């Protein structure tokens, strides 16, 4: 049985993420992020939101202009 999700230590308003991807995946992600005007972290977050069926900065660039509640 898996443990319930517990938010790890935050770095400001965000969770630090460390992982490894293949160099060609990194290159493609970096290019796509730049094409969308996003950082690599924002791009990953948008992909996670998109996969969950949520509004995201890839499909709706205006999401990038809407300030998040703190």
């Amino acid at each position: 049985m898996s443990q319930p999700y517990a938010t790890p230590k935050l770095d400001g308003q965000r969770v630090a993420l460390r992982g490894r991807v293949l160099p060609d995946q990194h290159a493609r992600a970096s290019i796509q992020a730049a094409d969308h005007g996003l950082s690599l972290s924002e791009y990953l977050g948008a992909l996670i939101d998109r996969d969950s069926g949520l509004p995201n900065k890839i499909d709706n660039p205006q999401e990038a202009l809407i300030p998040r509640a703190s």
Side-chain angles (χ1 to χ4, degrees):
M1 180 181 215
S2 65
Q3 298 286 347
Y5 178 78
T7 303
K9 182 180 177 190
L10 297 177
D11 182 4
Q13 295 286 333
R14 298 177 181 241
V15 172
L17 181 65
R18 184 172 192 271
R20 296 179 183 165
V21 296
L22 298 172
D24 59 321
Q25 291 173 322
H26 184 270
R28 288 192 308 268
S30 297
I31 291 166
Q32 288 295 324
D35 286 349
H36 290 289
L38 303 172
S39 70
L40 202 49
S41 294
E42 289 175 312
Y43 182 68
L44 178 58
L47 289 174
I48 293 167
D49 288 345
R50 176 193 263 182
D51 192 51
S52 298
L54 298 170
N56 61 78
K57 295 178 182 181
I58 296 170
D59 298 327
N60 183 7
Q62 293 300 316
E63 288 290 315
L65 303 176
I66 301 170
R68 295 186 184 248
S70 42

